[in-house]
Amino acid sequence: MLFDMVAALTAVRDLGRLREIALVLAKHGFGEVLGRMGLGNLAPKTTRPDAETNRRAAWPERVRLVLEDLGPSFMKLGQIASTRTDLLPKELIVELKKLQDDVRPVDLGAIRSEIEASLGASINDIYAAFDDRPIAAATIGQVHRAKLRPALPPASARPSGGPDGQRPPTTSPATDAIEADVAVKVQRPGVRATIERDIELLGFLAAVLERSVAEASAYDPVGLVREFDRSITAELDFTNEAANAQRFRQNFEGHPEVAFPFVYKSASAKRVLTTEFFDGLGIEQAIERGVDGKKLARMAVRIIVKMIFEDGFFHADPHPGNIIIRGSIDDPVIGLVDLGMVGRLSPELRNKTVDLMVAAARKDSVAVADALYAIGRPTAKVDMPTFRAEVALLAEKFVGLPLREIELSALIRDLVATALKFELEIPTDFMMVGKALMTLEGMGRELDPDLDVFQEAQPYFLSMVRKRFGPEQLGGDLLRGITQFAGVAHDVPLHLQEVLDDLRAGRLEVRTVETQLAPGLDRLGRRLFAGFVVASLNVAAGLTLISSWRFRVWGAGLLLAAAWMAWAFHVSRDAMRTWWAKGKKRR
């Protein structure tokens, strides 16, 4: 309720932006939706949808056009919504995946001011060179190439190798290299305030849409906005991305197939992020230079599968734009950048996800149904025999197919749709796993049509199963269970003694809660209130009538008529009772 009130106040304050949203919706043929939401007056009656757009474009495409016209915040919302295959129709997901960050670069003067304000120093003191032309411009920030000045350690920490005590040059990114080649990601000035304003307006519109358009509630618009709020808020703080990069580097230490950029913390803050610059090629360029596409596909699968099923910490958006191919033609290295959006799996959810994948690989429909039920959270009682039968029917699509021909993305999408049909709520983290695997599968099969994702992932699944049922894990679980049981066994006598003491002293009370009592009393209270209001109005009307001089003329006759009706009713009631009593005696 508080969220709705704040959003409504914000909508009034930002009426100009709300009117702009209404105009764009009307332009692309959503005037009827505005009318049902009660916002039709915000768009002039003369506004007509673009005839050409409506004639050629289906509604999912028009949704995408609306988001593009409304700017960065709405485009980012569409990108995040494209991961919710559990909620949104397939045709809409296809359109939302087309949304790409395509925004104009910010003026260099504003970028320099942002860097200096965030880092508390002149840009010339931080970077030996700074390229004015951005190498990437996105919704939240833009990236420039630069050379970082060396940061000397305190005199006591300097190595003694040179006569002047200077640290010898190094090319290792693990230290502040002399004039290191870096990428500087700078947050667009004012983007936080813009996004926060749009989020509040989106919250207001989502709440109105959910209440006024019945069919929209199936897509949980308020939930989507809240998910967007959490995701975008994390991305607005670049220290989160710095921490993600550090964790990825630790998880993949000793893995030569993948690289993550080193973060220079001395030149980073909440709105500025300075990282090692990855000088490499895009996937298509690397293949043109002679890199084996099949090898890259298998490497990418191994990397993402390790992230998800071994580490439980994974890149949530591994599309080709975030991949840079480094190294040589024979020994390529996959560099992963843009680490702001990540997913996390708890050990428990990770084990359940592995169970689902193993069951799918074995084509055991009962095990698939049980694993899916364990992943979800039932919001209503689930008829398990019917649920298993539905999953078995779904499994017929891939029974008999070789593993390399099974579309993992389609399998996950159908499983999630089945879960929702039986009112199983799927965790957002699992949906992010599905989105990452779908992106990976699509990219991998473009590089290698014969790619077998299950085959590449099998070693990790087997490793997870061995760890779960190995002596070390079982011993830890047993020890944890014994510890918990010992604690309970120690506390039970004390709690039992307290209950007996309360019973002996007469302090023990037993209370029952009638679940239907509160709603019944509420209805009764509303009816009594309505009755009192009506009765008060009647009394007021009667007093007004009595005070009128006309009442003296015909009021006496009205009272006599009422008395006669009461006497007639009394006499007839007595006569009916006498007749009924005589009839019973005859029978």
Side-chain angles (χ1 to χ4, degrees), residues 133-138 141-145 183-186 277:
R133 296 168 300 177
I135 58 178
Q142 65 186 45
V143 183
H144 291 257
R145 189 170 181 176
V184 185
K185 183 176 180 180
V186 187
F277 181 79

Side-chain angles (χ1 to χ4, degrees), residues 278-433:
F278 274 1
D279 193 4
L281 303 171
I283 293 177
E284 293 184 0
Q285 294 174 321
I287 293 175
E288 291 175 358
R289 296 283 182 89
V291 177
D292 186 358
K294 294 184 177 181
K295 185 175 184 178
L296 287 178
R298 286 167 170 75
M299 289 169 57
V301 170
R302 288 195 293 269
I303 292 167
I304 298 300
V305 167
K306 179 189 181 308
M307 286 181 181
I308 295 172
F309 298 108
E310 186 174 321
D311 303 330
F313 183 78
F314 58 94
H315 196 309
D317 196 21
H319 64 77
N322 291 334
I323 296 176
I324 298 173
I325 307 302
R326 313 178 75 202
S328 64
I329 293 177
D330 296 328
D331 293 311
V333 177
I334 293 179
L336 285 172
V337 297
D338 195 6
L339 307 174
M341 188 183 296
V342 298
R344 294 173 174 83
L345 283 186
S346 64
E348 181 183 6
L349 185 55
R350 204 184 322 163
N351 290 337
K352 293 175 181 178
T353 306
V354 170
D355 290 341
L356 179 65
M357 296 301 171
V358 171
R362 290 171 44 222
K363 300 174 184 177
D364 185 343
S365 60
V366 174
V368 168
D370 291 345
L372 185 62
Y373 180 82
I375 289 172
R377 185 179 68 85
T379 57
K381 183 173 177 57
V382 177
D383 185 350
M384 286 305 294
T386 306
F387 177 63
R388 286 172 176 163
E390 189 85 13
V391 173
L393 186 63
L394 171 64
E396 291 180 1
K397 293 183 180 180
F398 56 89
V399 168
L401 292 175
L403 288 177
R404 67 175 178 272
E405 294 182 15
I406 296 176
E407 290 188 19
L408 188 60
S409 57
L411 174 62
I412 292 176
R413 184 183 64 245
D414 292 346
L415 286 174
V416 170
T418 303
L420 292 175
K421 180 179 177 181
F422 285 85
E423 299 187 61
L424 277 173
E425 184 178 302
I426 302 299
T428 302
D429 291 331
F430 179 79
M431 296 308 307
M432 295 186 74
V433 169

Side-chain angles (χ1 to χ4, degrees), residues 81-121:
S82 68
T83 67
R84 296 308 305 265
T85 56
D86 58 325
L87 287 177
L88 304 180
K90 179 181 178 181
E91 58 271 21
L92 181 58
I93 295 292
V94 171
E95 286 296 326
L96 294 180
K97 286 183 177 179
K98 296 178 182 178
L99 290 169
Q100 300 294 330
D101 289 327
D102 184 16
V103 295
R104 292 182 180 179
V106 179
D107 179 70
L108 181 63
I111 289 296
R112 288 177 175 269
S113 299
E114 188 69 38
I115 293 174
E116 292 176 350
S118 296
L119 301 182

Side-chain angles (χ1 to χ4, degrees), residues 14-55:
D14 296 324
L15 189 58
R17 177 60 167 164
L18 191 60
R19 185 178 290 110
E20 180 185 353
I21 294 170
L23 288 172
V24 172
L25 287 169
K27 171 188 172 184
H28 291 288
F30 294 104
E32 181 186 352
V33 177
L34 281 174
R36 295 176 65 181
M37 293 171 63
L39 303 175
N41 291 333
L42 293 176
K45 300 297 182 182
T46 56
T47 303
R48 291 290 181 266
D50 189 322
E52 188 69 14
T53 299
N54 281 333
R55 186 170 66 85

Side-chain angles (χ1 to χ4, degrees), residues 194-210:
T194 300
I195 288 177
E196 288 177 350
R197 179 198 63 179
D198 283 348
I199 286 175
E200 291 178 344
L201 280 174
L202 280 167
F204 167 73
L205 291 173
V208 173
L209 180 67
E210 195 168 275

